[in-house]
Amino acid sequence: MTDAAIVVSNLRVVRGGAVVLPGLSLEIARGRVTGLLGPSGCGKTTLMRAIVGVQIVAGGTISVLGEPAGSRQLRSRVGYVTQAPSVYGDLTVRENLGYFGRILRAGPGAVDRAIETVGLAGFGDRRVGNLSGGQLARVSLATALLNEPEVLVLDEPTVGLDPVLRRDLWKTFRVLASGGATLLVSSHVMDEAERCDELVLMREGRALATGTPAELLQRTGAPSIEGAFLSLIDSAAEATR
Amino acid sequence: MNANNTAATAIRVLGQLRRDPRTIALLLLVPVVLEVLMKLVFYHQDRVFQRVGVPLLGIFPLTSMFLVTSITMLRERTSGTLERLMTMPVGKLDLLLGYGLGFASLAVVQGVIVSLVAFGVLDLQVAGPKWAVVALAALNATLGTAMGLFVSAFATTEFQAVQFMPMFLFPQMLLCGLIAPRDQMMRGLELLSDVLPMTYAYDALVRVSADGALERKLVLDVVILFGAALLALGLGAATLRRRTG
């Protein structure tokens, strides 16, 4: 794959004495929505943190848009939404986005557009600390949409959202990707897999399999992505036996 | 360094404070209450109040700002917003300068209020210009802000952060000349006090209150206080990490 936005090779990360990623290699295609699926604790967040350059890595390399991950040039080209909403609870939605917008040099109208996109129109002047968990997550997501980054790394962005909103957000992701953005979206909910162009199935710090949802179903003969995941785990266990 | 990022951060910090009126009230009132208490404690020994009253105009605001700001960066870190900012095009020093500016503007108000009360109500006398005392009170509060931001880099919990107040500030209060003249201390302690910023805060305020002349040594004190505040912010920025474990 030559047209990769993110190239990870032999990435090794150790956290608190435990090896989280023993030597991960994978590529994330440009302009597509890639789903990073796997159980909680398999290293998804660590991988994402390494891609956006806030994780100390023990070895290996990551290049994002041709630059080493975390380099200065990437800071306005890569957007990151953490799993726990990271916004200021004592400010309003608009104040939060206004601040991050100034840091990101977002154009005029970007704040209103981002609020609209995440379905929070009418909530602009509400204090973030008084919002529900799902609304909080959307404020956090809106922050990353302010400057229309080329690469968007989203850590479980749809957890706890109602189905209608989830569908709308996935539509938004698709619109962003068709505009040329590269999206890496993690989830531990397998039913979100079918919405992705590409999938990376992760377990215990390793990529079990990569490919389009259709390819993975065909390769394993399973009826669902969850089934494909299980059969891949079984055959991996078989191989080491 | 980037003025846009610094200004945006200062405005954001002030916006957060605005939502917390009780903290603003405490910041503005606590130094006043303490100064009034000193007046009452030394009500029958006015000479003592006149001697320590002016230096405390600087030291009380310094302490309260130190406490507040030593918690703020910790909050930024635990809320995840620092990690998010570290992925964005913003310098670490921009952030700390923004925090410093935001709190410093509050420090000016704090310095003005406590000085007005001391001069207007508590009958505190100074030989030098009163505006110089106000300015020094504000500068000291700014120094407290900068030192608080610096030490908060070493705290991972609120419990640790509040302990830094007695750890960093109490020794400085004991050694700055307020309790005992520095030249009558053990030589080692006197040398130690030479490198502690509060010594220069105390010296400057004593100079203004006692001889009144804005002489060269006072200018030197002020330069040292400014330098210490900038150094603390710089060190604070240097200890922030974009990458963490």
Short mmCIF file of all heavy atoms in Angstrom, two decimals, chain A residues 12-23 204-205:
data_model
loop_
_atom_site.label_atom_id
_atom_site.label_comp_id
_atom_site.label_asym_id
_atom_site.label_seq_id
_atom_site.Cartn_x
_atom_site.Cartn_y
_atom_site.Cartn_z
N ARG A 12 6.87 -0.43 19.62
CA ARG A 12 6.94 -1.09 20.92
C ARG A 12 6.67 -0.05 21.99
O ARG A 12 7.31 1.00 22.04
CB ARG A 12 8.34 -1.69 21.11
CG ARG A 12 8.52 -2.44 22.40
CD ARG A 12 9.93 -3.04 22.47
NE ARG A 12 10.24 -3.44 23.83
CZ ARG A 12 9.83 -4.58 24.38
NH1 ARG A 12 9.12 -5.43 23.68
NH2 ARG A 12 10.13 -4.86 25.64
N VAL A 13 5.68 -0.32 22.84
CA VAL A 13 5.36 0.60 23.93
C VAL A 13 5.26 -0.18 25.23
O VAL A 13 4.62 -1.23 25.29
CB VAL A 13 4.02 1.35 23.68
CG1 VAL A 13 3.67 2.21 24.89
CG2 VAL A 13 4.10 2.20 22.43
N VAL A 14 5.92 0.34 26.25
CA VAL A 14 5.86 -0.26 27.59
C VAL A 14 5.26 0.77 28.53
O VAL A 14 5.70 1.91 28.56
CB VAL A 14 7.29 -0.63 28.07
CG1 VAL A 14 7.23 -1.30 29.44
CG2 VAL A 14 7.98 -1.53 27.06
N ARG A 15 4.22 0.37 29.22
CA ARG A 15 3.59 1.29 30.19
C ARG A 15 3.57 0.63 31.55
O ARG A 15 3.04 -0.46 31.70
CB ARG A 15 2.15 1.64 29.78
CG ARG A 15 2.07 2.42 28.48
CD ARG A 15 0.65 2.83 28.19
NE ARG A 15 0.28 4.01 28.98
CZ ARG A 15 -0.89 4.63 28.83
NH1 ARG A 15 -1.78 4.17 27.99
NH2 ARG A 15 -1.15 5.69 29.56
N GLY A 16 4.16 1.35 32.52
CA GLY A 16 4.16 0.86 33.89
C GLY A 16 4.74 -0.54 34.00
O GLY A 16 4.25 -1.37 34.75
N GLY A 17 5.81 -0.80 33.24
CA GLY A 17 6.49 -2.08 33.32
C GLY A 17 5.86 -3.18 32.46
O GLY A 17 6.45 -4.23 32.27
N ALA A 18 4.65 -2.93 31.94
CA ALA A 18 3.99 -3.95 31.13
C ALA A 18 4.12 -3.60 29.65
O ALA A 18 3.99 -2.44 29.27
CB ALA A 18 2.51 -4.03 31.51
N VAL A 19 4.41 -4.61 28.83
CA VAL A 19 4.51 -4.39 27.39
C VAL A 19 3.09 -4.30 26.82
O VAL A 19 2.34 -5.27 26.85
CB VAL A 19 5.27 -5.53 26.71
CG1 VAL A 19 5.36 -5.30 25.21
CG2 VAL A 19 6.67 -5.63 27.31
N VAL A 20 2.72 -3.13 26.33
CA VAL A 20 1.37 -2.95 25.78
C VAL A 20 1.36 -3.26 24.29
O VAL A 20 0.48 -3.95 23.79
CB VAL A 20 0.86 -1.51 26.04
CG1 VAL A 20 -0.54 -1.34 25.48
CG2 VAL A 20 0.88 -1.20 27.53
N LEU A 21 2.36 -2.74 23.59
CA LEU A 21 2.51 -3.05 22.18
C LEU A 21 3.89 -3.67 21.98
O LEU A 21 4.91 -3.00 22.14
CB LEU A 21 2.38 -1.77 21.33
CG LEU A 21 1.06 -0.98 21.47
CD1 LEU A 21 1.12 0.31 20.65
CD2 LEU A 21 -0.12 -1.83 21.04
N PRO A 22 3.95 -4.96 21.66
CA PRO A 22 5.24 -5.65 21.60
C PRO A 22 6.02 -5.41 20.31
O PRO A 22 7.18 -5.77 20.22
CB PRO A 22 4.86 -7.12 21.76
CG PRO A 22 3.46 -7.21 21.26
CD PRO A 22 2.82 -5.86 21.49
N GLY A 23 5.43 -4.82 19.31
CA GLY A 23 6.12 -4.65 18.03
C GLY A 23 5.09 -4.63 16.91
O GLY A 23 5.04 -5.51 16.06
N GLU A 204 -4.41 -8.03 22.40
CA GLU A 204 -3.18 -8.13 23.19
C GLU A 204 -1.99 -7.47 22.49
O GLU A 204 -0.91 -8.03 22.39
CB GLU A 204 -2.87 -9.60 23.50
CG GLU A 204 -3.90 -10.17 24.49
CD GLU A 204 -3.80 -11.68 24.65
OE1 GLU A 204 -3.04 -12.30 23.87
OE2 GLU A 204 -4.49 -12.21 25.52
N GLY A 205 -2.24 -6.26 21.99
CA GLY A 205 -1.14 -5.48 21.43
C GLY A 205 -0.71 -5.86 20.03
O GLY A 205 0.28 -5.34 19.52
#
